[in-house]
């Protein structure tokens, strides 16, 4: 199945001030998350973001938070966003059935969220180069669990070009520039 911009929502999980510096290859992951947020804006794909216990882990990184509408940020204490009261209803209200997921940590909050999204009937796409853990092995283990559960593992470029669908879009040059 292809990822379609008109059916998608980008979910950014826990890209926070005190957590991000401990994540393996965090600068690259953060850059890819920013690319996806910018592409989502160009292609009118809505975004939601979560913050896991911000009192302890800090707020979302400024450069990421600047690209997510303030009313689209959800504070949570559950590892899975789906466990947080009101989250599932908020997601359902968007009418979007394809959820593209990025964030931290891959083997905890991202994994649990993707699995529960699948259980709830969503088409779920976890972005390999947009999610991470403190050690890469934990990200790999999360992917190993996601795939047989029906979560599609994709890359940033796959998402951008599937959302774009064709090269003659007005914003195609801007999208291409994000990937370079």
């Amino acid at each position: 199945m292809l990822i379609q911009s008109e059916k998608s929502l980008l979910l950014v999980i826990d890209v926070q001030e005190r957590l991000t510096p401990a994540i393996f290859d965090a600068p690259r992951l953060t850059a890819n998350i920013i690319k996806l947020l910018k592409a989502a804006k160009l292609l009118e794909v809505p975004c939601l973001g979560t913050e896991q216990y911000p009192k302890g882990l800090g707020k979302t990184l400024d450069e990421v938070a600047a690209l997510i509408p303030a009313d689209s940020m959800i504070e949570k204490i559950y590892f899975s966003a789906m466990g947080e009261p009101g989250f599932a209803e908020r997601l359902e209200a968007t009418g979007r059935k394809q959820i593209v997921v990025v964030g931290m940590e891959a083997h905890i909050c991202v994994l649990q969220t993707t699995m529960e999204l699948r259980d709830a009937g969503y088409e779920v796409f976890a972005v390999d180069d947009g999610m991470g853990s403190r050690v890469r092995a934990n990200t790999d283990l999360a992917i190993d669990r996601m795939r047989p559960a029906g979560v599609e593992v994709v890359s940033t470029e796959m998402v951008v070009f599937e959302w774009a669908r064709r090269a003659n879009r007005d914003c195609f040059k801007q999208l291409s520039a994000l990937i370079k």
Side-chain angles (χ1 to χ4, degrees):
M1 81 194 90
L2 289 176
I3 308 166
Q4 299 173 42
S5 61
E6 65 277 3
K7 293 182 179 181
S8 291
L9 177 136
L10 178 60
L11 177 59
V12 181
I13 298 177
D14 308 345
V15 183
Q16 292 168 253
E17 297 165 334
R18 293 189 199 114
L19 178 59
T20 303
I23 300 297
F24 176 78
D25 207 9
R28 183 178 65 88
L29 298 174
T30 304
N32 286 332
I33 292 166
I34 290 169
K35 288 175 188 177
L36 286 168
L37 283 163
K38 288 179 177 179
K41 184 173 183 171
L42 288 168
L43 295 164
E44 300 178 358
V45 173
C47 301
L48 289 176
T50 67
E51 293 178 329
Q52 178 72 30
Y53 185 64
K55 290 178 191 172
L57 295 175
K59 295 300 238 172
T60 298
L61 293 178
D62 288 342
E63 60 267 34
V64 172
L67 298 168
I68 301 172
D71 64 349
S72 295
M73 289 300 298
I74 300 157
E75 189 174 320
K76 66 184 182 67
I77 56 169
Y78 286 84
F79 296 124
S80 170
M82 291 294 282
E84 195 62 39
F87 179 84
E89 294 79 10
R90 179 127 184 229
L91 187 60
E92 188 176 336
T94 70
R96 302 296 175 120
K97 296 297 181 189
Q98 294 185 332
I99 313 301
V100 177
V101 183
V102 296
M104 301 166 188
E105 285 198 72
H107 67 295
I108 304 171
C109 296
V110 176
L111 173 67
Q112 291 182 34
T113 300
T114 61
M115 301 289 261
E116 290 192 352
L117 284 166
R118 272 303 291 143
D119 289 347
Y122 289 95
E123 295 174 31
V124 184
F125 302 87
V127 183
D128 183 312
D129 59 352
M131 65 178 169
S133 298
R134 285 165 281 157
V135 295
R136 179 63 204 194
N138 281 333
T139 302
D140 295 338
L141 287 170
I143 290 168
D144 288 347
R145 287 193 60 200
M146 289 176 189
R147 281 192 171 118
V151 175
E152 296 284 332
V153 180
V154 296
S155 70
T156 297
E157 286 193 38
M158 291 166 79
V159 174
V160 170
F161 287 103
E162 286 179 39
W163 277 347
R165 197 127 170 111
R166 63 186 201 279
N168 65 344
R169 294 186 80 112
D170 291 340
C171 63
F172 188 74
K173 284 185 181 180
Q174 292 169 283
L175 291 170
S176 293
L178 290 174
I179 300 304
K180 291 181 181 177

